[in-house]
C-alpha cells in the first residue's frame, strides 16, 4: 500500500463512556493517521470534561449540524444512544464524512435503507462497530473456516449470557423499542452473532423464541434461535441478560475440528481453542495454531481497518450489505419469535411490519401508552 495521505480529521458525537473509554484510545493509537478535531455533546459539563481528557485542543459543540458546518470532518465517530444513530449518521454522510457508529447502526431495516440511500447520494460510507471481527484470532478462524481448512462446518453454538440488574434499566433510554430497538437481541448478543455470521456466511432460515421473564421492559430480556446456514450448518443462538455467570462463547464444529472462542467483552488469541477430530494427523492440527501476532478485538483494530479503506477509497468492512445482513438477522429473529413461524432470509421488506420496527407492531410486544 502507498504511504498514508494526510491525517484524517475526526469528530466524535457523544462523549460518554464508550467514546472516552474505547474510541479515544483508538484514535490515540492511530494518531499518525487520524486527528481528533471536534466533539459534540448536549451535556456541556460532560463535553468540557471530555475535551480536557482529549488534551484540550478539541473544539466543542452542542449541535451535530453546527459541528458539521464548521468543521467538515473526514470521519465521524458516533457514540450516542441508539435512537439517535440514524439521524446523526445520515447528517454526517450528507456532509461528506465517513461514519463509524456504535451498534446498532439503526433501529430497523427501514432506517438502514435510509442510511444506504444517504451513502449512495454522498459517496461516503457508514460502518457499524463490530470490533470482534477484527481481532487476530477471529481473522485466523474465518480464514480457516471459509477456506475449508477445518472441513465443512456442521454445528455451531453462539452464546451471549450476561447479567443486567434493575439499576441498569433505570437509565431512561434503556429497555424501550423507541430508544434501543430491542432487548439483548439488539443491544448485547448482536456482537456475538455478528461474529458467527462473519465466520459461517449467509443464513437461510431461523426459528426463534423470546420472553420477558424478569425485567419490566418493553422488549425481551432473553431470546433463543435455531438457524440454518446456506452451507448446511445448523446453529443455536442465545441472547440473555438474566445470567449470573457471564460468558460470551462461539463454538463451530467442522468435519475435521472444533473451534471455540470463550471470552466476555473482548478476545485475544489465547481465547481461541482448536480441537482436531480423531482422524486428523498432528502436523495438520499444528498448522491451525493462532497467529504469532496477537491483536485483541477492539475499536483500535476496527478503526485501523476503516482508515485503510479510507486511504484506498474503497468501501470499509462492516458497512453496506455486510452490516445490513446482521440487522436483518435480528429482525428475522424477532419476527420468528413473535409470530411463532420460520422466517427465511430476504423475506422482510417494505410492507412487512418487521421492516419498519423490530417489534412488528405485535399486540403483545409493541409499545403501549401505559409504558410510554
Amino acid at each position: 500500500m502507498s504511504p498514508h495521505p494526510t491525517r484524517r480529521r475526526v469528530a466524535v458525537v457523544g462523549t460518554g463512556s464508550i467514546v472516552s473509554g474505547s474510541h479515544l484510545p483508538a484514535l490515540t493509537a492511530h494518531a499518525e493517521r487520524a486527528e481528533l478535531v471536534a466533539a459534540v455533546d448536549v451535556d456541556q459539563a460532560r463535553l468540557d470534561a471530555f475535551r480536557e481528557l482529549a488534551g484540550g485542543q478539541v473544539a466543542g459543540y452542542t449541535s451535530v449540524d453546527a459541528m458539521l458546518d464548521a468543521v467538515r470532518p473526514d470521519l465521524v465517530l458516533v457514540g450516542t444512544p441508539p435512537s439517535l444513530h440514524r439521524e446523526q449518521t445520515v447528517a454526517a454522510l450528507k456532509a461528506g464524512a465517513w461514519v463509524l457508529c456504535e451498534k446498532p447502526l439503526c433501529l430497523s431495516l427501514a432506517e438502514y435503507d435510509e442510511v444506504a440511500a444517504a451513502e449512495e447520494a454522498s459517496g461516503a460510507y457508514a460502518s457499524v462497530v463490530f470490533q470482534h471481527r477484527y481481532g487476530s484470532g477471529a481473522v485466523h478462524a474465518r480464514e480457516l473456516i471459509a477456506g475449508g481448512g477445518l472441513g465443512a462446518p456442521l454445528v455451531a453454538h453462539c452464546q451471549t449470557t450476561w447479567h443486567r440488574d434493575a439499576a441498569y434499566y433505570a437509565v431512561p433510554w434503556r429497555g424501550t423499542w423507541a430508544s434501543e430497538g430491542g432487548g439483548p437481541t439488539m443491544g448485547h448478543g448482536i456482537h456475538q452473532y455478528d461474529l458467527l455470521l462473519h465466520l459461517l456466511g449467509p443464513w437461510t432460515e431461523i426459528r426463534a423464541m423470546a420472553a420477558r421473564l424478569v425485567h419490566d421492559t418493553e422488549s425481551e430480556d432473553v431470546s433463543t434461535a435455531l438457524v440454518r446456514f446456506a452451507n448446511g450448518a445448523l446453529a443455536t443462538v442465545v441472547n440473555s441478560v438474566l445470567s449470573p455467570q457471564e460468558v460470551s462463547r462461539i463454538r463451530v464444529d467442522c468435519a475435521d475440528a472444533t473451534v471455540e472462542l470463550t471470552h466476555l467483552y473482548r478476545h485475544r488469541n489465547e481465547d481461541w481453542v482448536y480441537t482436531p477430530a480423531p482422524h486428523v494427523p498432528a502436523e495438520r492440527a499444528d498448522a491451525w495454531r493462532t497467529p504469532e501476532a496477537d491483536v485483541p478485538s477492539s475499536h483500535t483494530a476496527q478503526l485501523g481497518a476503516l482508515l485503510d479503506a479510507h486511504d484506498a477509497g474503497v468501501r470499509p468492512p462492516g458497512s453496506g450489505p455486510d452490516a445490513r445482513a446482521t440487522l436483518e438477522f435480528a429482525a428475522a429473529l424477532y419476527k420468528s419469535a413473535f409470530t411463532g413461524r420460520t422466517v427465511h432470509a430476504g423475506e422482510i421488506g417494505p410492507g412487512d411490519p418487521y421492516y419498519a420496527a423490530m417489534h412488528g407492531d405485535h399486540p403483545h410486544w409493541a409499545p403501549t401508552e401505559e409504558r410510554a
Side-chain angles (χ1 to χ4, degrees):
M1 182 179 292
S2 60
H4 296 304
T6 57
R7 294 166 77 196
R8 303 304 181 190
R9 301 172 69 252
V10 182
V12 297
V13 178
T15 60
S17 60
I18 193 64
V19 172
S20 60
S22 295
H23 287 284
L24 184 57
L27 287 167
T28 300
H30 293 288
E32 77 286 357
R33 307 176 63 186
E35 178 187 8
L36 179 60
V37 296
V40 181
D41 203 302
V42 295
D43 185 321
Q44 187 66 56
R46 188 167 57 203
L47 175 62
D48 292 342
F50 175 82
R51 293 175 65 201
E52 183 175 355
L53 179 66
Q57 302 302 309
V58 177
Y61 298 85
T62 56
S63 162
V64 173
D65 290 339
M67 181 277 292
L68 292 171
D69 288 342
V71 178
R72 311 301 294 185
D74 301 303
L75 173 63
V76 174
L77 309 181
V78 177
T80 52
S83 61
L84 302 174
H85 289 178
R86 178 201 54 80
E87 178 183 355
Q88 293 170 343
T89 295
V90 168
L93 290 169
K94 287 182 176 179
W98 286 29
V99 178
L100 179 60
C101 179
E102 283 298 322
K103 55 77 185 167
L105 178 59
C106 47
L107 303 188
S108 68
L109 289 170
E111 286 194 357
Y112 189 91
D113 289 346
E114 291 183 44
V115 173
E119 282 189 329
E120 181 69 23
S122 68
Y125 298 114
S127 295
V128 60
V129 175
F130 284 133
Q131 70 270 25
H132 293 318
R133 293 182 176 203
Y134 301 89
S136 52
V139 172
H140 181 65
R142 186 171 190 266
E143 290 174 349
L144 286 174
I145 294 172
L150 305 180
L154 303 173
V155 183
H157 306 278
C158 179
Q159 174 185 352
T160 305
T161 43
W162 293 357
H163 190 269
R164 298 293 183 267
D165 59 15
Y168 176 85
Y169 285 105
V171 176
W173 58 266
R174 288 186 176 138
T176 70
W177 295 104
S179 60
E180 291 194 287
T185 307
M186 277 285 276
H188 303 84
I190 194 169
H191 277 299
Q192 303 311 312
Y193 64 71
D194 172 76
L195 181 53
L196 181 74
L197 298 175
H198 189 58
L199 294 174
L200 292 184
W203 59 278
T204 59
E205 62 178 282
I206 183 170
R207 307 173 190 184
M209 293 188 292
R212 189 187 299 118
L213 298 180
V214 173
H215 295 293
D216 183 21
T217 57
E218 289 183 347
S219 51
E220 85 291 356
D221 53 21
V222 62
S223 68
T224 64
L226 303 176
V227 187
R228 189 186 306 274
F229 284 83
N231 59 21
L234 300 180
T236 63
V237 176
V238 178
N239 309 294
S240 167
V241 289
L242 309 178
S243 309
Q245 200 277 319
E246 295 188 301
V247 70
S248 306
R249 180 177 293 122
I250 288 178
R251 170 175 169 151
V252 181
D253 296 327
C254 299
D256 296 335
T258 292
V259 55
E260 187 168 12
L261 166 66
T262 304
H263 68 122
L264 187 55
Y265 297 135
R266 75 176 198 165
H267 58 77
R268 307 188 72 104
N269 286 353
E270 64 186 15
D271 300 315
W272 295 81
V273 176
Y274 292 83
T275 303
H279 64 270
V280 174
E283 59 271 17
R284 183 181 171 198
D286 286 344
W288 299 335
R289 291 177 179 168
T290 51
E292 290 185 8
D294 190 0
V295 178
S297 62
S298 65
H299 287 66
T300 299
Q302 181 164 2
L303 180 60
L306 186 145
L307 290 171
D308 288 343
H310 203 294
D311 291 346
V314 299
R315 175 175 286 283
S319 68
D322 190 29
R324 192 184 192 279
T326 301
L327 196 65
E328 182 191 5
F329 184 89
L333 192 157
Y334 281 121
K335 181 177 181 178
S336 178
F338 297 168
T339 64
R341 68 174 186 81
T342 299
V343 175
H344 295 87
E347 78 170 58
I348 301 176
D352 189 310
Y354 292 88
Y355 175 78
M358 293 291 171
H359 55 70
D361 282 329
H362 188 280
H364 179 68
W365 288 98
T368 64
E369 291 184 5
E370 289 78 9
R371 287 181 177 274

